[in-house]
Amino acid sequence: MPIKIDRESILSMMYTLEMLSSRGLTVRGTVRKNLNWLKKWYSQEMDQEYLELALLQICALFGMGLIKKDDMTLYNEICSLADTSMEELLENCTCISKRVKVSRQGIYSLIGKWMPGKKNPMKKSDVVEDIMDKLINHRQGQYYYCYERYYVGNKCPETEKKNMYKLVINQEESYLFDLKQFRIYIFEL
């Protein structure tokens, strides 16, 4: 079966999967369940769309840096059903995540320009310390950090005014999602 996965579909799936954390669900755990269901539906219906959706979710996990060795058997089973291999599939996928060791300097370098103001009184060092504290103490949840730049006049569109970061810590994964640059930083404790 030819693999029909384009970059835009992978990015869309990554956005969709990232939203799971908003509901308190883990990306890996939910995808694992989805893949099992898609595999089952494919075996019942023999509809290629189920396989393509499963492959897309595997690519999105890879792009987010959340592929887990424990699930490789499941990934390989789905690739086998699709007449491809994991290696061939991942050649079509783009990884936009980066693994980062938890350190003050490492986190400091992930956050762009940051200056305290009325809307965001935290200094960049305070943001880094807050993130470090949450990671080290494994405080599960989602936390948002926003820096709104001030521009003179109307030279900058509204979407370019905010740098927003989302820290996600749950039982299976911890990552910082740069919502403006669409970058994902996976933390290694």
Side-chain angles (χ1 to χ4, degrees), residues 2-188:
I3 301 169
K4 300 181 197 175
I5 299 177
D6 57 47
R7 181 171 164 69
E8 291 77 24
S9 297
I10 294 170
L11 291 175
S12 295
M13 181 59 73
M14 289 168 71
Y15 270 118
T16 303
L17 293 178
E18 201 284 322
M19 288 303 298
L20 293 170
S21 64
S22 300
R23 302 300 219 171
L25 301 169
T26 66
V27 174
R28 286 182 189 144
T30 304
V31 169
R32 187 180 314 113
K33 289 176 186 172
N34 286 349
L35 294 176
N36 281 310
W37 279 108
L38 290 166
K39 189 173 93 170
K40 181 179 178 180
W41 293 334
Y42 172 73
S43 66
Q44 292 173 349
E45 305 285 327
M46 299 309 284
D47 186 344
Q48 295 290 334
E49 293 292 323
Y50 293 123
L51 281 182
E52 288 181 21
L53 186 55
L55 294 173
L56 181 60
Q57 288 185 19
I58 294 170
C59 274
L61 270 185
F62 175 73
M64 295 173 80
L66 298 176
I67 288 282
K68 193 171 185 181
K69 290 179 184 175
D70 297 348
D71 296 327
M72 287 305 284
T73 303
L74 178 59
Y75 304 150
N76 286 323
E77 286 173 5
I78 290 171
C79 287
S80 178
L81 288 172
D83 245 359
T84 190
S85 69
M86 204 47 192
E87 293 78 26
E88 290 174 322
L89 176 65
L90 296 182
E91 285 176 9
N92 294 316
C93 305
T94 305
C95 187
I96 64 161
S97 68
K98 180 180 177 184
R99 295 207 171 272
V100 177
K101 292 206 185 266
V102 176
S103 70
R104 282 173 183 73
Q105 187 59 36
I107 294 170
Y108 195 87
S109 68
L110 302 179
I111 298 172
K113 185 176 180 182
W114 193 283
M115 302 218 11
K118 287 182 182 179
K119 290 187 177 183
N120 54 318
M122 291 178 85
K123 297 179 200 166
K124 188 173 180 177
S125 58
D126 296 336
V127 172
V128 170
E129 285 303 316
D130 190 61
I131 292 172
M132 282 290 296
D133 177 58
K134 286 178 171 79
L135 287 169
I136 290 170
N137 294 311
H138 200 73
R139 293 202 177 119
Q140 293 188 22
Q142 343 169 29
Y143 309 94
Y144 291 88
Y145 303 92
C146 182
Y147 169 66
E148 188 168 349
R149 297 180 183 180
Y150 296 99
Y151 291 90
V152 177
N154 198 12
K155 295 180 182 178
C156 186
E158 192 63 34
T159 56
E160 292 183 16
K161 290 183 181 180
K162 289 185 181 181
N163 285 350
M164 186 174 258
Y165 302 91
K166 179 180 180 182
L167 175 64
V168 176
I169 302 172
N170 58 43
Q171 59 204 24
E172 290 191 41
E173 59 235 0
S174 298
Y175 59 90
L176 183 71
F177 187 28
D178 182 337
L179 295 165
K180 183 177 178 191
Q181 301 294 327
F182 196 70
R183 291 188 185 133
I184 300 170
Y185 302 101
I186 310 297
F187 291 111
E188 297 175 344

